[in-house]
Amino acid sequence: MSNKTEEKRAGLRQRLIDVAEAQIAARGLAGLKAREVTAEAGCALGALYTAVQDLGALVMHVNSRTLARLGAALQAACQGAAAEPEARLLALASGYVAFARANRRLWSALFEHRLPEGVETPDWHKRDHAVLIEEIIAPLAQIRADLAGEALVMRARTTFAAVHGVVQLSLQGRFVGVPEEDLADEVAALVRAMLRGAHLA
């Protein structure tokens, strides 16, 4: 394939991802329609399948962008925090809440999207999800020096899941969720309680 053809395909892929990202941000994942995406991107419907395989793959590309932005936001939250691991974990939780609130539909799409049964998530997209826990591991290791390797990663996943669950229930407006105006404070309280438990373990 010529470089010109590949550049043209890459440009189309970029336009499709840009349009899909804007549509998800405006209407949520359920509002994403292949025909509307391709029409706005200025291409035929069939070009979607040439450029990015299918609509599911397009969503994965959008989600990878969101994950990259989330990772940058979490790193920035850590940079402004004190050096103590407890302060870093609290900053990460606060940064996660702030990102989810500011990017609600794109953030939701990270967890709403499902591939068809029997279709495996590509390795490149699995790797992009590492940002959800990689910033947690270092401060957690300082607090729990007895954990290492897979045990440490598992505890980081559990820590993330606990915070994420509170955030998700709140932003979805579930009756058991905390009011959004209290979300940041309640997440901080949860993290502090987890830290107290970690020190006692």
Side-chain angles (χ1 to χ4, degrees):
M1 182 179 294
S2 69
N3 289 337
K4 187 174 182 180
T5 301
E6 184 55 38
E7 287 176 8
K8 184 176 179 181
R9 178 177 292 179
L12 174 58
R13 183 186 302 115
Q14 185 75 24
R15 292 202 311 275
L16 289 166
I17 295 170
D18 289 344
V19 171
E21 183 178 38
Q23 290 192 5
I24 292 172
R27 302 194 302 247
L29 186 59
L32 187 69
K33 308 297 180 188
R35 289 188 182 280
E36 293 180 12
V37 170
T38 53
E40 190 172 338
C43 66
L45 179 61
L48 170 67
Y49 304 97
T50 301
V52 292
Q53 186 177 345
D54 57 26
L55 193 62
L58 182 61
V59 173
M60 285 191 287
H61 283 289
V62 173
N63 282 348
S64 285
R65 276 190 184 180
T66 304
L67 287 164
R69 290 175 52 229
L70 174 56
L74 294 177
Q75 289 177 355
C78 276
Q79 289 173 0
E84 292 80 11
E86 293 85 356
R88 289 177 63 192
L89 288 171
L90 283 165
L92 285 170
S94 176
Y96 188 73
V97 170
F99 184 90
R101 293 183 70 183
N103 303 273
R104 191 170 311 211
R105 294 186 180 93
L106 288 167
W107 169 81
S108 292
L110 293 175
F111 307 99
E112 291 174 0
H113 183 237
R114 296 286 184 274
L115 291 173
E117 187 174 349
V119 177
E120 283 287 325
T121 300
D123 289 340
W124 62 265
H125 193 49
K126 290 179 181 178
R127 288 192 295 269
D128 289 341
H129 281 76
V131 300
L132 298 176
I133 64 164
E134 62 187 3
E135 294 295 330
I136 300 172
I137 291 174
L140 187 61
Q142 291 179 266
I143 295 167
R144 291 297 304 271
D146 59 313
L147 296 177
E150 187 57 35
L152 179 61
V153 172
M154 190 64 66
R155 190 58 50 87
R157 289 180 177 179
T158 300
T159 302
F160 167 76
V163 170
H164 172 76
V166 175
V167 175
Q168 186 172 47
L169 288 171
S170 176
L171 297 190
Q172 286 181 343
R174 304 293 183 179
F175 73 94
V176 294
V178 300
E180 188 174 341
E181 60 269 21
D182 298 319
L183 179 57
D185 289 341
E186 289 302 309
V187 166
L190 170 65
V191 173
R192 290 190 183 97
M194 294 171 69
L195 288 169
R196 286 194 296 272
H199 284 300
L200 292 172

